[in-house]
């Protein structure tokens, strides 16, 4: 790399740093009363990951990180024995009367309805179909807009609220599964 000079804006400086990189070499000698005590030889490389990989730096780290991510990536939850997915969709849910909404993938199976967080491979909530007392499609106001939400009453007096773009289809499928069991 050839040194370059010029009056650049901060954006151009960052762009140059990420695309071309920066190398600093420093030799530091710490002395007290003319007696050398500590010697440091420092080398600093700063660049974007793509630039580092282009020069062969961090190659092993990048490969091992990508391999780990692929190995630990789960795209769908593990179902129970004899459980079949009837419907899955992306939506939001709330457990506290629709006040705080969380997002995730929702699954309706022949045994339960549950929320799934793909990034953490975690079940967010889970309700057995036999525990559902009532399913009601209601219109509520969320962020100053009217929208339809599904209110699911559970036998332990808890309520789960679900919202999805095709919430009417979710309602119909859930009612169908509850009454077919």
């Amino acid at each position: 790399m050839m040194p370059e000079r010029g009056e650049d804006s901060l954006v151009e400086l960052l762009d140059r740093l990420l695309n071309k990189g920066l190398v600093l070499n420093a030799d530091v000698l710490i002395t007290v009363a003319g007696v050398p005590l500590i010697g440091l030889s420092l080398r600093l490389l700063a660049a974007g990951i793509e630039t580092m990989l282009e020069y062969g730096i961090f190659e092993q780290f990048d490969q091992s990180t990508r391999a780990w991510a692929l190995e630990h990536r789960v795209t769908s939850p593990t179902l129970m024995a004899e459980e079949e997915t009837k419907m899955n969709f992306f939506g939001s849910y709330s457990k506290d009367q629709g006040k705080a909404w969380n997002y995730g993938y929702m699954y309706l199976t022949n045994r339960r309805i549950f929320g799934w967080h793909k990034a953490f491979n975690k079940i967010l909530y889970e309700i057995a179909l036999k525990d559902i007392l009532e399913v009601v499609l209601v219109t509520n106001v969320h962020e100053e807009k009217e929208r339809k939400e599904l209110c699911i009453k559970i036998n332990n007096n808890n309520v789960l609220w679900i919202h999805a773009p095709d919430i009417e289809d979710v309602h119909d499928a859930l009612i169908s599964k509850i009454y077919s069991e």
Side-chain angles (χ1 to χ4, degrees):
M1 292 191 311
M2 297 297 298
E4 296 180 14
R5 292 202 181 265
E7 294 181 19
D8 297 339
S9 69
L10 181 60
V11 174
E12 290 171 343
L13 182 63
L14 284 173
D15 184 53
R16 185 172 294 155
L17 175 66
L18 290 174
N19 291 325
K20 294 186 179 183
L22 171 72
V23 177
L24 292 175
N25 285 316
D27 291 323
V28 178
L29 186 61
I30 300 174
T31 62
V32 174
V35 177
L37 296 175
I38 299 173
L40 299 172
S41 180
L42 304 173
R43 183 174 181 208
L44 170 71
L45 294 166
I49 290 294
E50 288 180 11
T51 304
M52 293 277 206
L53 292 173
E54 186 179 313
Y55 287 104
I57 303 167
F58 286 128
E59 202 167 308
Q60 181 60 39
F61 174 77
D62 182 59
Q63 288 174 355
S64 63
T65 302
R66 288 175 192 267
W68 183 90
L70 284 173
E71 180 181 325
H72 291 85
R73 185 178 187 180
V74 176
T75 57
S76 62
T78 303
L79 299 178
M80 293 184 242
E82 299 179 22
E83 185 176 27
E84 299 173 13
T85 301
K86 300 300 180 186
M87 175 182 250
N88 66 326
F89 55 93
F90 186 78
S92 55
Y93 72 96
S94 175
K95 294 180 181 177
D96 60 352
Q97 298 176 333
K99 294 178 183 170
W101 289 89
N102 299 298
Y103 294 91
Y105 290 87
M106 316 295 167
Y107 286 80
L108 173 61
T109 72
N110 57 332
R111 293 185 171 190
R112 61 188 170 147
I113 184 168
F114 63 93
W116 173 255
H117 195 294
K118 282 186 175 185
F120 298 119
N121 301 327
K122 177 182 174 185
I123 290 184
L124 303 169
Y125 67 85
E126 179 177 22
I127 302 170
L129 296 182
K130 62 181 177 59
D131 293 338
I132 296 176
L133 295 176
E134 185 179 6
V135 178
V136 181
L137 191 60
V138 297
T139 302
N140 282 328
V141 176
H142 180 73
E143 295 180 357
E144 300 177 7
K145 293 181 186 174
E146 278 192 3
R147 72 175 188 180
K148 292 189 177 184
E149 299 168 356
L150 201 57
C151 176
I152 302 173
K153 295 181 183 176
I154 309 160
N155 65 8
N156 57 4
N157 293 326
N158 288 331
V159 175
L160 177 72
W161 295 86
I162 295 178
H163 172 71
D166 298 325
I167 198 66
E168 292 92 356
D169 295 340
V170 176
H171 172 264
D172 295 345
L174 185 56
I175 292 293
S176 171
K177 287 313 306 165
I178 292 171
Y179 292 116
S180 70
E181 296 297 316

